[in-house]
Amino acid sequence: MSRSTFETDPVRLAGPFPADFAWGFAASAYQIEGAAAEDGRGPSIWDTFARRPGAIADGSSGNVACDHYHRYRDDVQLMAELNARTYRFSTSWSRVLPTGTGAVNQPGVDFYERLVDALLAAGIKPLVNLFHWDLPQALQDRGGFGDPAVVGWFADYAALVAAKLGDRVKDWMTFNEPAVFAFLGHADGIHAPGLRDWPTAMRVADNELRAHAAAVQAIRAEVEGARIGVAIDVNQVAPATDSERDRVAAEQWSSARDAWFLDPLFGRGYPTLGFEAHREAGHLDGVDLSEPPAGDLDYLGLNYYRRDSVSARSDRPFDWEIGAAPGSEQTLMDWHVAPDGLRDVLIDLNARYAPAEIMVTENGAAYPDASEPDGRVRDVDRLEYLARHIAAVGEALRAGVPLTGYYVWSLLDNYEWSLGYTRRFGIVRVDFDSQRRSAKDSARWYQRLIARP
Ligand code: FCB
């Protein structure tokens, strides 16, 4: 595609967005904080998983990551310079409750208090996400998210964090990408806790929905005027060919994965098509599913990155290949770049579920950034990725989707889970030896796009 076929002018791109639109950055605790064994933090399942031989591409862990635990003031300052209106971060459950329940670790609570205060002082609105996959190891040892007791554990943890921060934080998120946690962590085994058992994954998904509902109640009880949502990852799902088999497979996959969470959250129970696919594949063997409670959402968070093509190897559900269409434009994650997919997913979510508000709670890209001798990173590919996706959000807004925010994933290059430090998503470069941060060209560009009028 020629570079001139889309708009990159930041001022023109910002045009359709209202003045109070929430422009910001998203991050998560384990990916940036480091200080893994400091100030009383207990281990999480990611500390354990990262030690498993072969689990992480470069053998690394989040022990140090971006050292954000010590450098949070500088990072907040950096976000302020870049004109961020809001910052979405997650609290590490095992930093505030080292064994998941019971005794509170005061230094852990203090850290999040200081972070919130620094953000507010810099004019940046905090959005607190309670769960970005780093379950306390002590709770995994008691059955983890596969055990229905997790609903109570999670609600108590939510109540605690809400009680500590709720006087200053009004924007909340219960879960990030519950499908990734359930399926990649418990069926595919490529994320912590590294299990490969579909019935367990289905129990985990069910318990996440119940834990979400319980946490929403707990937050509402503690925080006056709370605005609560959840981040669901919905990429565009497309059949690889126009064969009937691929078309059916794509519909089954999107029902068994995306609607599996969305339908219950919007009070519709589990979707029939997805249910049949999971049942036929044996995923529900021995699993007792009843109607999960509705989500009671003030906003729906959408994490969007790519288009997934589904090609069926047979007529059996889950006997599918899912990935970027061959020959498509791709990022370093081998993800198919599809900004029109973001527009269409937003329009479709709005038509299907009519959420009160939608925020794009993650969007961004990994590219092989080259740092030049002068330290500059001319990441034109990332800049263009963001420009095209922001234009797509603008189109959805004009089509009537009630969009209120957009969060770039991510401020900093960070620990990309099982890919370790081999994929850089930051619009700010991190030199992991010196911990030096330097704004890439995409950061300077985003800074102009979101400048306050
Ligand atoms: C999302 C995750 C986030 C990050 C991005 C690239 O699935 O929520 O932590 O890894 O992908």
Side-chain angles (χ1 to χ4, degrees):
M1 180 194 262
S2 111
R3 293 243 149 102
S4 55
T5 54
F6 51 85
E7 181 66 76
T8 56
D9 182 84
V11 176
R12 277 204 289 272
L13 273 172
F17 293 91
D20 61 353
F21 196 75
W23 296 105
F25 297 102
S28 91
Y30 190 69
Q31 294 179 276
I32 62 167
E33 282 180 5
E38 260 176 80
D39 288 349
R41 177 183 177 276
S44 82
I45 56 174
W46 269 94
D47 297 278
T48 310
F49 187 67
R51 279 198 301 272
R52 188 191 278 194
I56 312 296
D58 56 3
S60 65
S61 72
N63 280 352
V64 178
C66 305
D67 194 31
H68 173 75
Y69 186 75
H70 297 115
R71 295 166 194 267
Y72 72 93
R73 277 184 202 287
D74 295 344
D75 292 338
V76 169
Q77 184 52 38
L78 189 55
M79 280 191 274
E81 273 168 38
L82 294 177
N83 297 322
R85 320 282 174 86
T86 171
Y87 174 48
R88 178 200 142 186
F89 65 94
S90 76
T91 47
S92 152
W93 188 341
S94 64
R95 199 182 283 291
V96 298
L97 290 164
T99 57
T101 58
V104 175
N105 179 41
Q106 194 54 44
V109 173
D110 291 345
F111 168 67
Y112 295 113
E113 301 245 14
R114 290 197 304 272
L115 174 59
V116 164
D117 290 341
L119 288 165
L120 292 172
I124 300 170
K125 197 160 66 132
L127 188 164
V128 173
N129 167 27
L130 291 166
F131 191 72
H132 206 120
W133 310 345
D134 47 355
L135 184 74
Q137 181 61 44
L139 293 184
Q140 187 62 40
D141 298 343
R142 293 164 70 183
F145 257 94
D147 191 314
V150 75
V151 177
W153 302 334
F154 190 67
D156 289 349
Y157 157 60
L160 169 75
V161 179
K164 301 288 183 190
L165 305 179
D167 56 337
R168 285 151 292 164
V169 175
K170 299 300 168 194
D171 290 350
W172 294 83
M173 177 183 281
T174 54
F175 281 87
N176 175 73
E177 301 190 354
V180 170
F181 179 70
F183 299 167
L184 267 56
H186 303 79
D188 301 334
I190 60 169
H191 275 195
L195 304 180
R196 289 176 197 270
D197 182 63
W198 267 106
T200 300
M202 301 312 288
R203 285 190 197 96
V204 168
D206 193 54
N207 288 331
E208 285 183 292
L209 287 162
R210 291 168 203 287
H212 161 83
V216 170
Q217 280 190 9
I219 300 167
R220 292 211 194 285
E222 294 289 345
V223 185
E224 226 190 284
R227 189 169 155 260
I228 313 174
V230 58
I232 303 295
D233 51 311
V234 183
N235 291 297
Q236 190 175 42
V237 176
T241 69
D242 48 23
S243 74
E244 177 67 4
R245 212 155 80 164
D246 286 352
R247 194 187 55 74
V248 171
E251 278 177 14
Q252 287 177 321
W253 172 235
S254 110
S255 178
R257 188 188 186 286
D258 303 335
W260 196 257
F261 292 87
L262 286 162
D263 278 15
L265 283 167
F266 286 92
R268 299 179 191 174
Y270 290 116
T272 311
L273 194 63
F275 187 91
E276 282 310 314
H278 280 301
R279 197 186 51 75
E280 251 185 88
H283 298 172
L284 294 171
D285 292 356
V287 181
D288 185 19
L289 289 182
S290 49
E291 197 78 349
D296 187 16
L297 299 171
D298 297 306
Y299 69 90
L300 175 65
L302 168 67
N303 293 359
Y304 177 91
Y305 289 93
R306 60 177 190 264
R307 174 178 301 143
D308 288 333
S309 295
V310 183
S311 115
R313 290 193 211 98
S314 72
D315 286 331
R316 278 183 296 123
F318 290 86
D319 190 17
W320 307 320
E321 250 170 78
I322 303 167
S328 57
E329 179 191 351
Q330 295 169 21
T331 69
L332 195 57
M333 297 291 280
D334 305 327
W335 290 351
H336 180 170
V337 178
D340 52 334
L342 173 54
R343 178 200 59 213
D344 293 350
V345 164
L346 284 166
I347 290 174
D348 185 55
L349 286 174
N350 189 43
R352 273 189 207 216
Y353 301 108
E357 280 179 39
I358 306 186
M359 300 206 290
V360 177
T361 39
E362 278 184 33
N363 177 235
Y367 284 106
D369 303 334
S371 178
E372 293 173 26
D374 63 355
R376 185 158 164 200
V377 181
R378 290 179 168 78
D379 59 337
V380 67
D381 32 23
R382 179 176 296 100
L383 186 159
E384 291 181 354
Y385 177 99
L386 294 174
R388 292 156 72 191
H389 286 79
I390 289 169
V393 177
E395 284 173 34
L397 187 69
R398 278 195 297 270
V401 180
L403 279 151
T404 54
Y406 174 91
Y407 293 75
V408 171
W409 184 273
S410 189
L411 176 73
L412 304 174
D413 292 335
N414 61 49
Y415 184 70
E416 181 48 33
W417 307 112
S418 58
L419 295 168
Y421 298 99
T422 67
R423 299 292 188 282
R424 292 176 177 271
F425 273 91
I427 68 173
V428 171
R429 183 176 178 87
V430 176
D431 175 328
F432 289 105
D433 296 324
S434 66
Q435 289 294 344
R436 210 179 103 85
R437 277 86 161 125
S438 35
K440 304 177 191 177
D441 281 8
S442 57
R444 295 295 169 216
W445 171 87
Y446 190 59
Q447 176 186 41
R448 286 203 287 146
L449 181 98
I450 68 177
R452 292 169 207 243

